[in-house]
């Protein structure tokens, strides 16, 4: 019998862990999965491909038999993600100790699932939550699911680079005194550009109000393993952090972790909310990859990240010498919303060459096979991890050196964001995102949408700050701004009509 969600075998209570005794050289979940994959049982359980025997040839060739033989369900030796008492619990305890948490949950639905669960676990319908306006869209989905009312804070904005950084402790203090009934504060740190906010000061402000600080640390899972990297959110005092172990460490895509410390988060409720947002058939390849990534970092992380940092420093130094290019650097980390920079994240400004980031990305991709993580109007962002080799850095630098410089440097074509930034017209929208999401909608020509309530989340890149959220009143300024971004060649995500000729609003 397999340990399905509803049929799991109850094992006797395990004694509490003594962290000193945890052996980080072990990988209990990976080892158990390997043992099960080596067994030649008669499989009358899911998945239907039965250890790869029923897998179509093309897929079998792509994945290889070892991966298919390890694609197993909740067999007795493999524990149960939603009631762990065996190897998953052991692997999670090892991860908690390695990442500096009191308790860690493995996630098979990315940081997305962790962010949804964090909001559901802290907010009841109608509760207020203070959060950065440049949160990932999963946070907005979390608001829809929880029925929470957002109090949005504008992140600090660098008009020269056209990049949104973190929210500031001052903005959080102001919001907390205006909304002392808020249930939590949520921020993103580091941002996609590797910029970290002042998590320590913001955590302190939250704790004065006895509420938790939730940090979307999707891009910062490597921070705990090298002293030259920014301080991890938990070490800075956050109550909960969510990390995409697949983004900057070696886990498989979608594998992530949620970490908690202290007693401001109701852990039972968090466990239940995680079960709401994840499959009851978690993929063991993903789970085992989390165990392996933790083992790799706990046993060799400092050495591996030393090499990564050295590659990143070498790349930065060489790129800085290329005429027309500049980099986001740690010495720019001097403002309340930008207190540290992840040195393994390279944001290269190409605007000085007179070409935009999208064109530069196309050239690097098509002519050099060099592929960045993120292209925006002025910049290209590259992620360097222990998986990169010196040859990758060499190809990157050579490709950047070959970028054409057809014109003299041009200023950003984007309209100034200042009209849309602080203060927000009203930090509290007339409808919650959930009320707007569930309301009957109508599609209006854009010229007639002003004054109606948006059901769409519309976000221009750059700088990645949503201009319209579900539940907010559509203003003329917001529409004009979005139209100018489109005209300038920027990208707008989230709208049902990408040309922005129409907008979906709440039917009045
Ligand atoms: C800042 C941020 N948070 C959360 C997420 C969601 O992470 P995942 O892809 O692991 O679900 C992303 C994804 O890109 C992100 O950039």
């Amino acid at each position: 019998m397999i340990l399905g969600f509803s049929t799991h075998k109850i094992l006797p209570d395990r004694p509490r862990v003594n962290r000193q005794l945890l052996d980080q050289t072990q990988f209990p979940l990976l080892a158990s999965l390997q043992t099960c994959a080596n067994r030649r049982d008669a499989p009358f359980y899911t998945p239907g491909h039965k250890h790869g025997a029923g897998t179509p040839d093309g897929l079998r060739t792509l994945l290889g038999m070892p991966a298919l033989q390890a694609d197993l369900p909740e067999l007795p030796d493999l524990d149960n993600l939603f009631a762990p008492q065996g190897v998953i619990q052991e692997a999670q305890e090892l991860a908690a100790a390695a990442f500096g948490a009191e308790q860690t949950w493995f996630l098979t639905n990315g940081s997305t699932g962790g962010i949804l669960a964090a909001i559901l676990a802290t907010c009841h319908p109608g509760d207020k939550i203070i959060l950065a306006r440049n949160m990932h869209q999963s946070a907005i989905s979390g608001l829809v699911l929880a029925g929470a009312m957002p109090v949005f804070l504008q992140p600090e904005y660098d008009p020269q680079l056209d990049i949104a950084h973190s929210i500031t402790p001052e903005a959080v203090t102001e919001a907390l005194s205006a909304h002392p009934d808020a249930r939590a504060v949520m921020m993103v740190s580091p941002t996609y550009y590797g910029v970290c906010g002042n998590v320590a000061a913001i955590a302190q402000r939250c704790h004065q109000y006895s509420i938790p600080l939730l940090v979307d640390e999707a891009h910062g899972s490597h921070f705990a393993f090298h002293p030259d990297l920014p301080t991890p959110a938990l070490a800075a005092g956050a109550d909960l952090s969510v990390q995409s172990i697949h983004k900057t460490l070696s886990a498989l895509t979608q594998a992530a972790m949620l970490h908690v410390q202290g007693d401001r988060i109701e852990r039972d409720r968090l466990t239940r909310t995680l079960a709401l947002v994840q499959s009851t058939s978690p993929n063991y390849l993903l789970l085992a990859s989390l165990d392996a990534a933790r083992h790799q970092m706990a046993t060799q992380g400092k050495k591996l990240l030393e090499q990564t940092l050295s590659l990143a420093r070498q790349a930065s130094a060489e790129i800085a010498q290329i005429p027309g290019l500049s980099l986001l650097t740690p010495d720019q980390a001097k403002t309340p919303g930008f207190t540290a920079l992840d040195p393994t994240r390279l944001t290269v400004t190409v605007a000085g060459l007179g070409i935009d980031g999208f064109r530069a990305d196309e050239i690097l991709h098509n002519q050099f096979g060099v592929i960045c993580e993120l292209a925006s109007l002025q910049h290209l962002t590259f992620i360097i991890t222990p998986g990169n080799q010196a040859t990758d850095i060499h190809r990157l630098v050579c490709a950047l050196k070959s970028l054409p410089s057809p014109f003299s440097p041009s200023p950003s074509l984007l309209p100034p964001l200042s009209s849309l930034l602080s203060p927000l017209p009203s930090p509290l929208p007339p409808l919650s995102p959930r009320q707007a999401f569930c309301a009957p909608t109508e599609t209006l020509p854009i010229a007639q949408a002003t004054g109606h309530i948006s059901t769409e989340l519309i976000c221009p890149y750059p700088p990645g700050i949503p201009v319209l959220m579900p539940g907010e009143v559509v203003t003329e300024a917001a529409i004009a701004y979005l139209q100018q971004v489109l005209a300038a060649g920027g990208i707008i995500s989230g709208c049902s009509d990408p040309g922005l000729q129409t907008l979906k609003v709440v039917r009045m």
Side-chain angles (χ1 to χ4, degrees):
M1 185 182 79
I2 66 166
L3 293 182
F5 182 58
S6 53
T7 59
H8 71 267
K9 190 164 63 181
I10 303 297
L11 300 173
D13 265 359
R14 287 155 47 86
R16 275 192 67 80
V17 204
N18 179 347
R19 285 175 172 237
Q20 309 299 317
L21 300 180
L22 287 178
D23 179 356
Q24 293 286 347
T25 66
Q26 300 297 305
F27 30 81
L29 179 52
L30 181 68
S32 191
L33 186 61
Q34 183 67 71
T35 305
C36 292
N38 289 343
R39 266 188 218 138
R40 292 292 162 262
D41 53 19
F44 295 102
Y45 49 78
T46 63
H49 64 68
K50 313 280 175 170
H51 306 177
T55 302
D57 290 345
L59 186 63
R60 192 186 304 124
T61 306
L62 178 70
L63 299 184
M65 280 308 278
L68 291 165
Q69 282 161 350
D71 182 25
L72 293 168
E74 290 163 306
L75 297 169
D77 290 345
L78 293 180
D79 206 1
N80 182 315
L81 182 62
F82 298 99
Q85 300 187 37
V87 286
I88 291 181
Q89 182 172 351
E90 285 170 30
Q92 291 186 153
E93 283 165 358
L94 285 161
F99 285 83
E102 281 173 18
Q103 192 169 350
T104 291
W105 287 257
F106 283 3
L107 312 175
T108 54
N109 188 21
S111 285
T112 297
I115 290 167
L116 297 177
I119 295 176
L120 283 162
T122 44
C123 295
H124 291 97
D127 281 348
K128 289 182 198 163
I129 176 168
I130 295 170
L131 74 175
R133 181 100 186 162
N134 60 338
M135 291 303 302
H136 183 254
Q137 65 187 47
S138 54
I140 312 306
S141 307
L143 298 177
V144 169
L145 291 179
M149 186 56 104
V151 177
F152 283 120
L153 298 185
Q154 290 292 15
E156 186 176 280
Y157 170 64
D158 182 327
Q160 233 176 353
L161 291 172
D162 199 18
I163 287 178
H165 297 325
S166 177
I167 50 172
T168 65
E170 292 67 31
V172 171
T173 305
E174 229 176 87
L176 283 169
S177 68
H179 303 279
D181 52 343
R183 291 302 189 133
V185 171
M186 189 170 217
M187 65 188 287
V188 56
S189 183
T191 64
Y192 224 120
Y193 301 97
V195 167
C196 299
N198 194 343
V199 175
I202 293 174
Q204 205 188 24
R205 307 288 200 281
C206 292
H207 299 166
Q208 282 165 359
Y209 284 79
S210 304
I211 60 168
L213 174 64
L214 321 174
V215 180
D216 171 353
E217 204 176 25
H219 293 269
S221 54
H222 51 307
F223 287 0
F225 301 100
H226 197 288
D228 292 353
L229 292 169
T231 307
L234 285 185
D239 299 270
L240 176 153
S241 70
V242 184
Q243 298 179 330
S244 296
I245 309 298
H246 68 93
K247 288 193 196 297
T248 58
L249 296 179
S250 60
L252 297 180
T253 296
Q254 246 178 273
M257 292 186 196
L258 187 154
H259 309 291
V260 163
Q261 65 182 354
D263 54 9
R264 293 183 193 87
I265 303 285
E266 218 185 294
R267 297 191 197 180
D268 284 351
R269 188 174 150 117
L270 181 61
T271 301
R272 282 184 281 125
T273 59
L274 280 167
L276 285 183
V277 297
Q278 299 193 96
S279 165
T280 54
S281 310
N283 185 311
Y284 270 86
L285 296 172
L286 301 188
L287 293 174
S289 79
L290 288 170
D291 199 23
R294 182 276 313 158
H295 173 267
Q296 183 184 43
M297 278 299 114
T299 56
Q300 313 167 58
K302 192 162 176 221
K303 187 182 89 194
L304 292 173
L305 286 164
E306 191 63 50
Q307 290 159 6
T308 307
L309 282 162
S310 154
L311 289 180
R313 288 184 192 118
Q314 180 202 336
S316 300
E318 293 189 37
I319 294 166
Q321 300 303 313
I322 303 175
L325 297 185
S326 57
L327 285 137
L328 192 59
T329 56
D331 50 304
Q332 286 162 276
K334 291 191 191 104
T335 62
F338 182 0
T339 57
L341 181 70
D342 174 3
T344 67
R345 185 71 50 121
L346 303 189
T347 292
V348 179
T349 306
V350 296
L353 293 176
I355 57 172
D356 66 39
F358 306 114
R359 175 75 188 122
D361 178 39
E362 203 175 278
I363 295 170
L364 294 192
H365 190 148
N366 295 343
Q367 295 181 21
F368 299 93
V370 170
I371 302 176
C372 70
E373 167 67 15
L374 176 73
S376 56
L377 209 59
Q378 294 195 49
H379 320 284
L380 295 177
T381 300
F382 302 89
I383 300 179
I384 301 180
T385 74
N388 283 110
Q389 314 294 318
T391 49
D392 298 330
I393 303 302
H394 180 68
R395 286 179 70 176
L396 169 64
V397 173
C398 288
L400 287 172
K401 278 183 180 159
S402 308
L403 280 177
S405 180
F407 312 110
S408 54
S410 59
S412 168
L413 298 169
L414 277 178
L417 249 188
S418 45
S419 57
L420 284 161
L421 292 180
S422 61
L424 286 163
S426 157
L428 275 182
L431 292 185
S432 71
R434 185 216 199 86
Q435 286 166 327
F437 187 87
C438 298
T441 64
E442 61 182 326
T443 303
L444 291 182
I446 196 75
Q448 292 170 25
T450 303
H452 287 257
I453 296 173
S454 174
T455 61
E456 307 201 43
L457 187 164
I458 302 191
C459 182
Y461 283 93
I465 305 175
V467 167
L468 277 177
M469 294 274 193
E472 286 183 338
V473 175
V474 181
T475 62
E476 245 173 71
I479 292 174
Y481 179 78
L482 291 169
Q483 285 173 331
Q484 286 178 69
V485 170
L486 274 186
I491 288 188
I492 292 183
S493 78
C495 32
S496 52
D497 174 0
L500 209 67
Q501 300 296 311
T502 60
L503 193 70
K504 270 198 185 351
V505 297
V506 171
R507 193 173 343 127
M508 300 243 205

